[in-house]
């Protein structure tokens, strides 16, 4: 059977292959953003700040789902490159089964302890009713959320990124339309926003199940479930960096919420929520590209096509640098017109956000190399290095900056924490890229890139 990963790639064909995944990741980020925009306008910025208090739980869902998806993709794509298609299919079936089991455990824990969890996350009395309503609905559909995170990667591994894009766009459009309908004409408030979101999760989740059940013409489809604990440990190790990134998001979101509550109360939480929406979109571009090219890198590495591997890594590095400049410039252009979608220009939330955004946006210039480097080592099945890169930039450095800079520099230090952490993370990523250039034989590409 023909495999889309086996063909020869040049820069444009590589970008075309990764583009559906990039657009898909942007649409996935829009799930949360569209909710926030409608909530802010139909219910108010207090409700917007409230739903962000539960974002650490959403990050945990993403952490597990992306870990299984990206870690599994590296294993499956490498085996396809080695000509072990039957083993790849068995691994696919095992990974999806474990994903469902993990989602059920998560659902049971959250439903049993939801109120204490929300209190632990720092939810204020004013925020609690909104936060509880929204979070209860989201965690009730945890299996759909887990599966859509896994399938968004595995569609690419199966050589069908356009299918992943299609179902994700369908889910995103459904979210937008249903947000308006439930919160506008029906006046359902945050409950309507949550229902619209879980419906949008179900579209790619169900589509993935149907595709891998019936796709008997391709290399990847479900077979009889056979537990393979050694493979699952390797998957978790490979995907640990992506898991760390999302767990770090949960921890840092909690810290941001607590710090902004301390400095600016609920208006501050609404402000950082809006700024993080911009980060979701721009980091989704880097993540989508990196996840889109990772199966290609894994396949070429498994097939020992070193010439192609070098060309691909070189093209990736060039794209990341050009993209970083473009993303930063775009952020400066769109901040004001986008900000009024959430709040009025005379509001405290608007002024707080506009005051800190120019500092925070410097991080958009710096984050791309770290995201790609982490994904690159995941593709090489080196989960340890990948996790160290992710752990350093998204947790160690960022938590350190959040705990120190606001105390030293006040409000400016809060906004400066992310750029400072990304600067240190960039240094770590470049160091590991230099270290790995001979071991994984992309050295010439890295030097030229």
């Amino acid at each position: 059977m023909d495999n889309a990963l086996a063909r020869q790639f040049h820069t444009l064909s590589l970008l075309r292959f990764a583009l559906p995944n990039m657009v898909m990741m942007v649409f996935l980020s829009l799930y949360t953003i569209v909710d926030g925009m409608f909530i802010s306008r139909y219910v108010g910025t207090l409700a917007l700040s409230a739903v962000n208090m539960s974002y650490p739980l959403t990050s945990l869902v993403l952490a597990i789902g992306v870990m299984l998806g990206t870690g599994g993709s590296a294993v499956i794509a490498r085996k396809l490159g080695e000509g072990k298609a039957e083993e790849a299919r068995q691994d696919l079936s095992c990974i999806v089964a474990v994903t469902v089991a993990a989602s059920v455990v998560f659902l049971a824990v959250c439903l049993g302890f939801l109120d204490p969890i929300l209190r632990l996350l720092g939810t204020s009395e004013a925020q609690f009713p909104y936060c509880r309503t929204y979070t209860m609905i989201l965690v009730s559909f945890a299996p759909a959320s887990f599966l859509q995170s896994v399938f968004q990667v595995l569609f690419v591994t199966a050589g069908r990124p356009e299918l992943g894009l299609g179902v994700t766009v369908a889910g995103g459009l459904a979210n937008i339309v249903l947000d308006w309908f439930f919160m506008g004409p029906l006046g359902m408030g945050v409950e309507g926003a949550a229902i619209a979101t879980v419906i949008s999760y179900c579209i790619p989740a169900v589509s993935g199940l149907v595709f891998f059940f019936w796709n008997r013409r391709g290399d990847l489809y479900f077979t009889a479930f056979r537990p393979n604990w050694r493979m699952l440990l390797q998957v978790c190790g490979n995907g640990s960096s992506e898991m760390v990134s999302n767990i770090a998001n949960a921890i840092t979101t909690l810290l941001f919420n607590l710090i902004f509550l301390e400095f600016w109360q609920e208006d501050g939480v609404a402000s950082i929520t809006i700024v993080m929406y911009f980060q979701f979109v721009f980091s989704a571009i880097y993540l989508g590209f990196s996840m889109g090219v990772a199966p290609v890198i894994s396949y070429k590495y498994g097939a020992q096509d070193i010439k192609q591997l070098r060309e691909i890594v070189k093209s990736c590095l060039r794209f990341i640098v050009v993209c970083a400049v473009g993303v930063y410039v775009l952020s400066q252009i769109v901040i004001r017109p986008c900000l009024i979608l959430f709040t009025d220009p005379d509001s405290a939330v608007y002024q707080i956000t506009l005051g800190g955004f120019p500092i925070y946006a410097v991080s958009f210039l710096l984050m791309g190399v770290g995201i790609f480097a982490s994904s690159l080592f995941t593709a090489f099945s080196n989960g340890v290095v990948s996790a160290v890169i992710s752990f350093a930039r998204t947790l160690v450095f960022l938590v350190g900056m959040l705990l120190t800079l606001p105390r030293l520099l006040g409000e400016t230090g809060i906004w400066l924490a992310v750029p400072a952490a990304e600067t240190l993370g960039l240094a770590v990523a470049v160091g590991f890229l230099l270290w790995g250039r001979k071991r994984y034989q992309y050295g010439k590409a890295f030097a030229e890139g």
Side-chain angles (χ1 to χ4, degrees):
M1 294 180 234
D2 293 334
N3 190 299
L5 303 178
R7 69 178 188 264
Q8 294 295 294
F9 287 89
H10 51 75
T11 300
L12 289 179
S13 62
L14 185 67
L15 290 175
R16 282 197 297 268
F17 187 83
L19 183 62
N21 206 64
M22 294 167 66
V23 177
M24 180 170 65
M25 288 300 293
V26 170
F27 262 86
L28 285 171
S29 71
L30 290 177
Y31 288 171
T32 303
I33 295 170
V34 169
D35 276 359
M37 184 178 70
F38 280 102
I39 289 170
S40 184
R41 280 302 183 182
Y42 280 110
V43 188
T45 54
L46 173 62
L48 175 64
S49 73
V51 299
N52 193 53
M53 300 304 292
S54 68
Y55 183 74
L57 283 179
T58 304
S59 293
L60 185 57
V61 172
L62 289 172
I64 300 171
V66 173
M67 175 189 70
L68 293 170
T70 56
S73 173
V75 170
I76 292 168
R78 191 183 73 249
K79 288 186 177 179
L80 289 174
E82 295 169 348
K84 301 176 182 177
E86 181 58 31
E87 284 188 31
R89 288 190 284 271
Q90 293 173 0
D91 292 348
L92 166 73
S93 305
C94 184
I95 289 165
V96 173
V98 169
T99 299
V100 174
S103 69
V104 172
V105 173
F106 178 87
L107 169 63
V109 171
C110 286
L111 291 182
F113 302 96
L114 185 58
D115 286 5
I117 290 172
L118 295 182
R119 299 289 187 194
L120 184 64
L121 294 176
T123 309
S124 70
E125 289 301 323
Q127 294 169 325
F128 194 85
Y130 295 117
C131 188
R132 190 183 192 282
T133 298
Y134 185 83
T135 309
M136 175 68 77
I137 295 170
L138 258 61
V139 299
S140 297
F141 284 79
S145 182
F146 273 72
L147 286 172
Q148 65 94 19
S149 296
V150 170
F151 286 141
Q152 76 185 43
V153 183
L154 294 181
F155 279 134
V156 181
T157 312
R160 297 294 301 275
E162 75 286 349
L163 178 59
L165 171 62
V167 297
T168 303
V169 169
L173 293 176
N175 192 30
I176 293 170
V177 172
L178 293 176
D179 264 332
W180 167 79
F181 182 66
F182 291 152
M183 301 184 70
L186 297 186
M188 295 175 65
V190 295
E191 182 180 6
I195 293 172
T197 296
V198 297
I199 291 174
S200 68
Y201 287 162
C202 290
I203 293 174
V206 172
S207 298
L209 291 172
V210 171
F211 174 77
F212 286 111
F213 266 119
W214 297 103
N215 178 41
R216 301 292 164 168
R217 294 182 180 179
D219 283 329
L220 287 180
Y221 48 83
F222 290 141
T223 62
F225 170 65
R226 296 178 182 176
N228 185 338
W229 304 114
R230 182 177 180 180
M231 179 274 298
L232 287 171
L233 286 174
Q234 186 178 12
V235 166
C236 292
N238 288 342
S240 59
S241 63
E242 286 73 17
M243 178 190 68
V244 166
S245 293
N246 283 282
I247 290 177
N249 284 339
I251 295 171
T252 54
T253 299
L254 172 61
L255 286 175
F256 269 123
N257 287 340
L258 295 176
I259 292 170
F260 273 77
L261 270 173
E262 178 185 346
F263 277 79
W264 292 290
Q265 292 76 52
E266 283 83 1
D267 285 338
V269 177
S271 175
I272 190 57
T273 301
I274 295 170
V275 171
M276 290 176 72
Y277 287 163
F278 281 89
Q279 181 176 320
F280 293 164
V281 173
F282 294 135
S283 64
I285 297 172
Y286 296 122
L287 283 167
F289 175 76
S290 299
M291 292 168 64
V293 300
V296 180
I297 293 171
S298 294
Y299 188 96
K300 299 301 181 184
Y301 182 62
Q304 284 298 288
D305 189 348
I306 302 305
K307 181 179 179 181
Q308 259 284 277
L309 180 64
R310 289 175 175 174
E311 288 297 318
I312 289 168
V313 174
K314 179 171 68 175
S315 296
C316 290
L317 290 169
R318 289 177 174 173
F319 173 79
I320 290 294
V321 172
V322 172
C323 188
V325 176
V327 161
Y328 175 76
V329 172
L330 180 62
S331 73
Q332 301 306 304
I333 295 172
V334 302
I335 177 60
R336 290 178 183 270
C338 288
L339 190 52
I340 61 175
L341 296 175
F342 294 90
T343 186
D344 296 327
D346 59 351
S347 69
V349 172
Y350 185 95
Q351 298 303 321
I352 294 168
T353 306
L354 204 59
F357 186 81
I359 301 173
Y360 191 101
V362 174
S363 63
F364 303 152
L365 274 170
L366 306 170
M367 64 174 63
V369 173
I371 291 172
F372 172 71
S374 179
S375 181
L376 177 68
F377 286 105
T378 296
F380 289 139
S381 293
N382 192 330
V384 174
V385 170
S386 181
V388 169
I389 294 171
S390 246
F391 188 75
R393 61 171 284 269
T394 61
L395 187 62
V396 175
F397 296 145
L398 185 50
V399 170
M401 294 300 103
L402 282 172
L403 293 178
T404 56
L405 291 183
R407 307 306 166 193
L408 296 175
L409 303 174
E411 295 175 0
T412 301
I414 301 175
W415 296 109
L416 190 60
V418 175
E422 290 292 354
T423 301
L424 296 172
L426 175 62
V428 171
V430 170
F432 275 112
L433 285 172
L434 290 169
W435 167 83
R437 57 185 175 170
K438 289 185 178 179
R439 178 169 182 172
Y440 298 105
Q441 302 180 68
Y442 61 81
K444 185 179 178 181
F446 182 69
E448 292 177 358

